[in-house]
Amino acid sequence: MTSYTVTSTPDGVTANCSASPCTVTGLRNGTSYIFTVHATNSVGSSGESIATAAVTPMTTPGVPSGISTTAGPEALTLSFTAPDSGGSPITGYQISLDGGENWTTFTPSGSPLTGTATGLQSGVRYSVALRAVNAVGTGTASTATSVTTKPATVTRPTATAGTSSTTVTWPQSTTGVVTGYTVYAHPGPATCATTSITATSCVIGATAGVSYTYTVVAHSPGGDSLESDASTSTVAQEPAVPVSAPAAAPATLTTTEGVLSTVDPGQQITVLGTGFAPYSTAVIIVYSAPIVLGTVVADSDGNFTRQITVPASLAIGEHDLVASGVDASGETHMIRMAVTVEKSATPPRGDSGDSGGSGQLPTTGAPVQMLVVWATLIIGAGIAMIAYARSRPAHQSHGC
């Protein structure tokens, strides 16, 4: 005999060997085959032997693919696509959290296959790999992926309302890799932030009279924690109105027309303010005697734009326009602009209801009242004189 030829059914895969045993390659795992053999010598080839019993080639499973990971505070969730079974049904999966040194059973379900590894530490980096198991053995593991769990959720914060702001405090995170925190107002969009694990308090701007709750998120190199539970609700108060103008306040209040030196009663101007806590309430006041002209809420940069009307009754002389509120740290913040009123409000013209085209009602005051008094006195005197004159003839006749 010079050789033996083994032939598979199905697929007709052949292998030539010089002796038994003979290995046939190129078969499909999981497919049932039978085999026949014929011998060959210098004269020729024999007929095919009786077929073998059916056998099914199989191997260990392939590599899981399409792996995605989602980190939680103390858990990792993996989703993936099942690998080739290797010809034998996959009976389970194993996960490694240290790059393949140690393996534990992992139980996914659904489509795509999804499972969660629990009992992990918050804020810790893990080297995650996955492999499948069948009757033949464990398959090739996936390439390890580095994943860091999220920081632990921060304990519910405490909120203390102040003037146009709220101070929010919370317990320090139990996750050592935390690098800072962000506080979120509800309703938003105001926030405040810190930049270390031990910085557990910050001041956040608030619109006076609005009810807010607050949540906290911890930050780490591997990601952010889930939002904390919300604080109890708080309501910030409106800035107080000082009795007198703050002479020491910086003269940084301005207008869309620049810094004004003079204004007229009834004039409308648009004032611009800076340096306030973002989303906080400021009050705009005119002095000497304080008159509140309106309130305004600062934008995300702590600036505001507000149109006001100079009171028509504002006396001739020097005055201060003042914006009063708080800065980003919750401290009192006031800015001012000195202005002068050089003339009083223009009186109405015409004596028959004509307002001179101004669209305003006539203004009455002390001069008009004085005229009324004098007119009354004159009329009274006239009536008295007439009465006296009429009474004189009667008295004279009686005397004769």
Side-chain angles (χ1 to χ4, degrees):
M1 300 296 176
T2 56
S3 65
Y4 297 91
T5 300
V6 179
T7 303
S8 72
T9 302
D11 297 340
V13 178
T14 61
N16 293 313
C17 304
S18 58
S20 177
C22 185
T23 300
V24 181
T25 61
L27 303 177
R28 291 177 290 143
N29 289 325
T31 300
S32 177
Y33 291 94
I34 59 174
F35 300 90
T36 58
V37 181
H38 68 260
T40 301
N41 61 14
S42 58
V43 177
S45 297
S46 69
E48 296 295 323
S49 68
I50 297 173
T52 65
V55 295
T56 301
M58 61 185 67
T59 188
T60 56
V63 181
S65 61
I67 299 174
S68 64
T69 59
T70 303
E74 297 175 342
L76 291 173
T77 299
L78 280 73
S79 296
F80 62 95
T81 300
D84 179 81
S85 67
S88 176
I90 292 174
T91 56
Y93 293 90
Q94 295 177 344
I95 189 173
S96 173
L97 300 173
D98 56 10
E101 293 293 325
N102 297 282
W103 296 86
T104 58
T105 299
F106 185 69
T107 308
S109 61
S111 179
L113 290 167
T114 302
T116 301
T118 58
L120 309 183
Q121 292 182 312
S122 298
V124 173
R125 187 182 299 274
Y126 291 91
S127 182
V128 182
L130 193 64
R131 67 186 183 185
V133 180
N134 67 6
V136 179
T138 55
T140 303
S142 64
T143 301
T145 301
S146 181
V147 184
T148 301
T149 52
K150 292 181 179 294
T153 304
V154 177
T155 302
R156 182 196 302 267
T158 299
T160 304
T163 300
S164 293
S165 62
T166 301
T167 300
V168 184
T169 60
W170 59 92
Q172 181 175 316
S173 174
T174 57
T175 305
V177 296
V178 165
T179 56
Y181 310 85
T182 297
V183 176
Y184 295 90
H186 305 275
T191 64
C192 64
T194 68
T195 55
S196 75
I197 189 173
T198 57
T200 56
S201 177
C202 64
V203 176
I204 187 169
T207 301
V210 175
S211 178
Y212 292 95
T213 61
Y214 300 90
T215 57
V216 183
V217 170
H219 306 296
S220 78
D224 297 340
S225 73
L226 302 176
E227 277 192 283
S228 71
D229 290 334
S231 70
T232 56
S233 60
T234 61
V235 180
Q237 63 190 16
E238 190 171 287
V241 177
V243 174
S244 59
T252 54
L253 187 66
T254 185
T255 76
T256 51
E257 303 299 322
V259 176
L260 303 180
S261 58
T262 62
V263 295
D264 295 327
Q267 180 180 352
Q268 287 190 333
I269 59 176
T270 300
V271 293
L272 309 177
T274 60
F276 295 87
Y279 307 108
S280 66
T281 296
V283 178
I284 303 172
I285 315 153
V286 64
Y287 292 86
S288 300
I291 301 173
V292 174
L293 304 181
T295 61
V296 65
V297 176
D299 63 19
S300 60
D301 296 318
N303 305 326
F304 71 75
T305 301
R306 176 69 153 83
Q307 186 181 74
I308 60 170
T309 300
V310 178
S313 60
L314 198 61
I316 294 174
E318 296 180 349
H319 301 273
D320 279 294
L321 286 173
V322 175
S324 176
V326 297
D327 61 18
S329 62
E331 299 296 325
T332 298
H333 176 63
M334 290 188 284
I335 57 177
R336 65 186 179 86
M337 181 175 66
V339 295
T340 300
V341 174
E342 295 182 339
K343 58 183 179 179
S344 59
T346 303
R349 291 176 295 178
D351 56 4
S352 60
D354 181 13
S355 64
S358 65
Q360 299 178 340
L361 294 174
T363 301
T364 61
V368 175
Q369 293 174 352
M370 186 60 69
L371 289 174
V372 172
V373 171
W374 278 106
T376 302
L377 290 174
I378 293 170
I379 293 172
I383 294 173
M385 291 176 66
I386 293 171
Y388 175 74
R390 288 180 177 177
S391 66
R392 287 188 67 186
H395 289 298
Q396 291 175 355
S397 173
H398 179 74
C400 294

